[in-house]
Each structure stands twice: as C-alpha cells, then as structure tokens.
Amino acid sequence: EVEMVESGGGLVQPGGSLRLSCAVSGFTVGSNYMSWVRQAPGKGLEWVSVISSGGDTYYADSVRGRFTISRDNSKNTVYLQMNSLRADDTAVYFCARDLSTGNYNYYWGQGTLVTVSS
Amino acid sequence: QTVVTQEPSLTVSPGVTVTLTCASSTGAVTSDYYPNWFQQKPGQAPRPLIYSATKKHSWTPARFSGSLLGGKAALTVSGVLPEDEADYYCLLDFGDVRVFGGGTKLTVL
C-alpha cells in the first residue's frame, strides 16, 4: 500500500529557512517522479517542483533559486529545502508522485502547513 | 511566465451537463501538454480525475470525461450530481515546468 507522509512544516520568520520531508512507503522514490505542490489558504493549487527518476530537478519561477528539491533513496524520502522564505510562501505543501508520463500527481500526501510570519 | 486559465466559478443545477475548460497563454492546448484534471473538496487533498487529456482513472465516475476542444483542454460532467460540488484544477506540462490552472469552483444548486 502506498503511503506518503509530509512533515517539517511550521511557523518561520520572513527570510528564514525550513526543510520539508515526504517519507513514503509502498514504492521507491528513486524510481519515480516526485513533486511538491502548494496551496495558500483559500487559494488554488500551485506546482512548485519536481525531481525526475533520473535526478533532474525543475522549479516554478516563484521558487527557483530559493527552494531545492532532493531525495534520499536510503530513507525513501523526498525533501524540499526552502530558503529566503516570504509571506507569500505560506501554504499547505503536498508531496505527490507521478504514475507514468502524462499521469501526474497520482498519489498525494495529506500536506504540511508552512506559515511565514513575524 | 506561462498562465493557465480556467473559469473561476460555475453554478449549475443537478442533472445538467457542464464543461470546464483549461486554456494556456502560450497558445492551443494539445495532447503534448498531457492535461490532467483534479477534483478537490474542502479539507482534502486533490483527487486525480483525468490524465493525458482523455484517460480516466479506475475510480473516475463515468459521467466525467476529458477532451481537447477548440484549443483548450476540457472536462465535461454529464448529469451533474450534488456530490460533484468541488474545486476542479487542470495541470499542464510545459516540459521544464508544470502549471496548474487557477481552478473552477463548481456549485450545484
């Protein structure tokens, strides 16, 4: 059974850093495309980043240069390192897994809330 | 910056057929963008409905269908039920980035 559990969210001051984790079971992160998607309170979904099975990484313009996606195959975990955080980064952050090319974000975690505020 | 546009809101009566659309600021949406559609209800994670423009998941009700229509991706609900009231999001793949539409709030009255 596939399970994806995000953690690491919390309250952080503007300019600060936070690392989110997505621990998975039922499949291996190193063999799949894994994404981070966020949703600001009362707002829509925003694609943030993806790491391919080959390790290539891609980012939304809004986070490029500040956020870094990575994975640890030995821990079967995907991370999102978030630096230089701003108030508009406040959101629930979901991790998601693609099933195949064109079949995106098939599995979702329940999300972790990040609040950027002084 | 690429923008993906959906109708912000639609209100329909039960039993009608409604079509939600998904447009790209870059031009016509084709199968090359692998349109995906998601349904989200309050307090829940999004649930995939349609992938690669037209393909359904095993749990997708038969009344939901995806298509490419007039240069846009489209999600049609044939015979809307009260439980279809939700937010619907499309996702397009531009190769190096993926972009969600702003979402359509579907209200069933």
Side-chain angles (χ1 to χ4, degrees), chain B residues 45-61:
Chain B
R47 183 176 77 142
L49 283 178
I50 300 289
Y51 66 100
S52 293
T54 62
K55 298 178 181 178
K56 299 181 185 183
H57 296 287
S58 59
W59 55 80
T60 303

Side-chain angles (χ1 to χ4, degrees), chain A residues 39 92 94 109-111, chain B residues 40-46 87:
Chain A
Q39 187 168 35
V92 174
F94 297 97
Q110 283 306 301
Chain B
Q40 188 182 33
K41 295 185 177 181
Q44 298 180 13
D87 295 323

Side-chain angles (χ1 to χ4, degrees), chain B residues 23-90:
Chain B
S24 169
S25 62
T26 62
V29 176
T30 68
S31 58
D32 292 340
Y33 294 95
Y34 299 109
N36 279 239
W37 290 91
F38 301 86
Q39 178 192 65
Q40 188 182 33
K41 295 185 177 181
Q44 298 180 13
R47 183 176 77 142
L49 283 178
I50 300 289
Y51 66 100
S52 293
T54 62
K55 298 178 181 178
K56 299 181 185 183
H57 296 287
S58 59
W59 55 80
T60 303
R63 62 185 180 276
F64 289 88
S65 62
S67 63
L68 294 171
L69 195 66
K72 300 179 183 180
L75 176 71
T76 298
V77 189
S78 303
V80 173
L81 299 178
E83 59 258 39
D84 298 332
E85 183 163 293
D87 295 323
Y88 293 84
Y89 297 91
C90 65

Side-chain angles (χ1 to χ4, degrees), chain A residues 16-39:
Chain A
S17 297
L18 212 55
R19 189 179 79 159
L20 306 183
S21 300
C22 174
V24 315
S25 58
F27 68 94
T28 56
V29 296
S31 300
N32 290 276
Y33 278 61
M34 300 292 299
S35 296
W36 286 95
V37 175
R38 68 184 181 183
Q39 187 168 35

